[in-house]
Amino acid sequence: MKGNRMKKLNVLSLFDGMSCGQISLDKLGIPVKNYFASEIDKYAIKVTQANFPETVQLGDVTTVDPDSLPKIDLLIGGSPCQGFSFAGKQLNFDDPRSQLFFEYVRLLKALKPKYFLLENVRMKKESMDVITEALGVEPVAINSNLVSAQNRYRLYWTNIPMDGLPQDKGIMLKDILEPVEKIEDVYYYSDKSIAYMQRGNDKWQQAGARRADRYTQTPDTEKAFTITANFHKGVPYNYFADIRDKSKCVRPGGRGSYDRHEWDSVDTHHIRKLTVTECERLQTVPDGYTCGVSNTQRYKMLGNGWTVDVIKHIFEGLKEDLK
């Protein structure tokens, strides 16, 4: 290569979603010749095309013909994880969505790209071993909390040279919150919604064995819980007690501090959803990137997406190798 010019890559992204891989490449300034995306969600495709209009959409992964593509330099993807996730039914490869992993393997074998990356959730060892054997590399476990204000533990199988884990940036929940005065009323929960969550206090199992009265996060010292595709459903998936606004947080006896265990005694009018912009920041996606579709769809694609700065860290090795 002459000077510092890098080769332009042909990239194939399977289960592309809103194209977080493309955001990562763009952040690093890695030039792309062609970016082929396999995705079937029309809302995610709309967001991708609004931000990267030259993306070539290929549709359903099962119909992607490797013979119709040029030489692919980089194959990436995060195959559907519902069958693997500890938060789901753990059907593993019996779940048809998780069987789509083998479409990734099919195209990896046919295209023989120089580089590949597969992302997925924590799973049982036997499932992890199947993926490891098929791809020929051990997974690297990375928690997004190193580069963002969100706890998000994921596995990454890749042959891209990687210089250890990302540095901890020390980002806390407070660092991604929008100013209180900018939070629209639509994000605050009604008394009815809060009562619904309180009634289910003993059964909610999201984020481990947390009960509703243990969901409170201290923004100055804690990270957000993992955002999921269910965030749009509201409580208990998307729950934040925003105690910065004292006018919406009235405590018995006039005390100013908040004890996380005093669920029943705290005025609930400050309990709200994290906004879509705040969720973009949790995934280190540029503010406003997901505009153009409903908030429901924006929450879904952000919950299904990648933490961009984790992928960016992995692609740093790609950048070095392309010089």
Side-chain angles (χ1 to χ4, degrees), residues 192-254:
K192 182 178 179 181
S193 295
I194 296 302
Y196 166 71
M197 188 169 181
Q198 286 175 317
R199 286 196 302 273
N201 196 30
D202 291 328
K203 73 176 183 180
W204 300 123
Q205 293 296 311
Q206 191 222 13
R210 293 180 186 274
R211 289 162 22 117
D213 55 0
R214 297 175 189 161
Y215 265 46
T216 303
Q217 300 146 93
T218 305
D220 288 353
T221 59
E222 292 184 300
K223 306 278 187 174
F225 302 130
T226 304
I227 64 171
T228 70
N230 290 323
F231 243 47
H232 70 285
K233 295 181 179 179
V235 291
Y237 304 101
N238 187 353
Y239 169 90
F240 175 55
D242 193 347
I243 60 174
R244 296 175 300 164
D245 187 349
K246 301 304 180 184
S247 69
K248 291 184 177 179
C249 183
V250 181
R251 295 198 51 201

Side-chain angles (χ1 to χ4, degrees), residues 5 12 24 26 35 48 117 130 175 195 200 210 214 230-231 253 285 305 314:
R5 292 178 59 188
L12 173 58
S24 305
D26 187 61
Y35 191 96
T48 294
L117 167 67
V130 170
D175 298 316
R210 293 180 186 274
R214 297 175 189 161
N230 290 323
F231 243 47
V285 169
I314 295 172

Side-chain angles (χ1 to χ4, degrees), residues 24-44:
S24 305
L25 291 167
D26 187 61
K27 277 191 171 186
L28 285 169
I30 295 177
V32 174
K33 185 176 182 180
N34 293 292
Y35 191 96
F36 300 96
S38 173
E39 180 53 57
I40 59 174
D41 185 291
K42 65 180 180 180
Y43 302 105

Side-chain angles (χ1 to χ4, degrees), residues 60-220:
D60 190 333
V61 67
T62 64
T63 66
V64 174
D65 178 8
D67 293 333
S68 69
L69 299 171
K71 172 62 179 174
I72 296 297
D73 303 295
L74 172 64
L75 174 67
I76 61 176
S79 56
C81 63
Q82 290 88 346
F84 297 124
S85 175
F86 284 108
K89 296 181 180 179
Q90 297 182 54
L91 297 172
N92 299 307
F93 291 107
D94 291 330
D95 189 309
R97 294 167 296 185
S98 297
Q99 288 179 359
L100 289 172
F101 159 72
F102 295 106
E103 292 297 322
Y104 183 98
V105 175
R106 172 179 72 88
L107 292 165
L108 178 65
K109 288 181 177 179
L111 294 167
K112 296 180 174 59
K114 183 174 181 181
Y115 309 103
F116 66 83
L117 167 67
L118 179 83
E119 174 266 5
N120 221 300
V121 296
R122 282 190 288 185
M123 61 187 72
K124 290 181 177 179
K125 186 177 185 302
E126 53 263 39
S127 297
M128 187 169 66
D129 289 345
V130 170
I131 295 175
T132 296
E133 183 177 358
L135 301 185
V137 293
E138 293 287 337
V140 177
I142 302 177
N143 192 331
S144 297
N145 66 11
L146 293 173
V147 297
S148 77
Q150 173 193 193
N151 278 302
R152 190 182 190 87
Y153 186 101
R154 292 293 185 267
L155 299 174
Y156 301 88
W157 287 262
T158 185
N159 67 343
I160 298 171
M162 186 162 44
D163 186 18
L165 298 178
Q167 258 190 339
D168 189 344
K169 295 182 178 180
I171 304 171
M172 295 300 169
L173 182 53
K174 68 179 177 65
D175 298 316
I176 63 90
L177 295 177
E178 295 193 79
V180 172
E181 60 272 17
K182 289 190 176 181
I183 309 298
E184 299 175 24
D185 288 344
V186 68
Y187 288 107
Y188 288 94
Y189 287 120
S190 66
D191 290 340
K192 182 178 179 181
S193 295
I194 296 302
Y196 166 71
M197 188 169 181
Q198 286 175 317
R199 286 196 302 273
N201 196 30
D202 291 328
K203 73 176 183 180
W204 300 123
Q205 293 296 311
Q206 191 222 13
R210 293 180 186 274
R211 289 162 22 117
D213 55 0
R214 297 175 189 161
Y215 265 46
T216 303
Q217 300 146 93
T218 305
D220 288 353

